Amino acid sequence: MFEKLNRTIFQKRFKKFKQIEERERRFVNYNSAKTIMLLFESDYTENNQEVRELIRKLTADGKKVMAWGFSANKVVVSPILPDFRILNKKNCDFTQKPAESFFRELESVQFDLLLDITVHDILPLNYLTLYAHAGFKAGAGKSDPLLYDFVLDIKHLTTLSDEENAFELDASYIYNQIIFYLKSIQTSD
């Protein structure tokens, strides 16, 4: 019941924000992106090896990366670093909107590209996606597709049970697909 109410509140805030805030959208391909915000779903142990490897790949390509994740744990043990942090429910109000301090921090940063590589629809990260100043926002189609400029359709992908065609949808898959398309799309501007 609360989840449905929180989603309804998010939709109202989303519509209000879209009426007030005029975001300058622009296509940003992978090569021209210099600053990237990466949103991810933290694993239970908060090691996030998969995400850290993706961050290493991006920084090796000369990208400045700020990664923010969300954990369902009651207590987050990962340190808060300038470019890597994990939020939890304690950092959010009862509607699952992150604390204002996080939004004040986001106000001062401009990103070329926002990549949401979460598999599940996580409301606090949807708020961060909405309020982040990014020229181009890309993510998987789990929630409202109007959050993103580029939507990867994952609704038809499921975990298959037979061993021959075993496939598990994860953050690396979403990341690789989005990056593939961002590298493939050629623009004339």
Side-chain angles (χ1 to χ4, degrees), residues 38-170:
L38 186 69
L39 298 177
F40 65 95
E41 184 175 0
S42 178
D43 58 23
Y44 181 75
T45 61
E46 296 177 29
N47 287 335
N48 301 306
Q49 291 300 340
E50 180 180 37
V51 173
R52 291 182 191 274
E53 182 59 34
L54 298 177
I55 293 169
R56 277 193 281 280
K57 286 180 186 179
L58 290 167
T59 54
D61 286 346
K63 316 293 185 201
K64 183 177 182 328
V65 181
M66 182 180 280
W68 288 28
F70 184 81
S71 173
N73 297 346
K74 290 184 179 182
V75 177
V76 174
V77 295
S78 296
I80 295 176
L81 304 172
D83 293 335
F84 188 90
R85 69 188 53 215
I86 298 175
L87 288 79
N88 65 355
K89 290 185 179 184
K90 283 178 75 174
N91 303 118
C92 301
D93 65 12
F94 70 95
T95 65
Q96 297 185 24
K97 181 179 180 185
E100 287 299 318
S101 60
F102 294 107
F103 295 118
R104 281 194 297 274
E105 187 175 338
L106 276 180
E107 283 178 7
S108 63
V109 186
Q110 180 72 32
F111 300 100
D112 294 323
L113 183 60
L114 180 140
L115 297 175
D116 180 354
I117 59 169
T118 58
V119 174
H120 302 99
D121 190 22
I122 301 171
L123 207 48
L125 295 183
N126 288 350
Y127 277 106
L128 294 177
T129 300
L130 178 62
Y131 288 99
H133 298 290
F136 191 75
K137 297 179 181 182
K142 308 169 295 288
S143 62
D144 192 334
L146 297 176
L147 273 174
Y148 308 109
D149 303 313
F150 176 83
V151 178
L152 181 67
D153 183 16
I154 62 167
K155 291 178 183 171
H156 68 283
L157 298 175
T158 58
T159 304
L160 300 176
S161 59
D162 73 63
E163 291 178 21
E164 276 183 43
N165 298 325
F167 170 78
E168 186 175 341
L169 183 64
D170 61 1

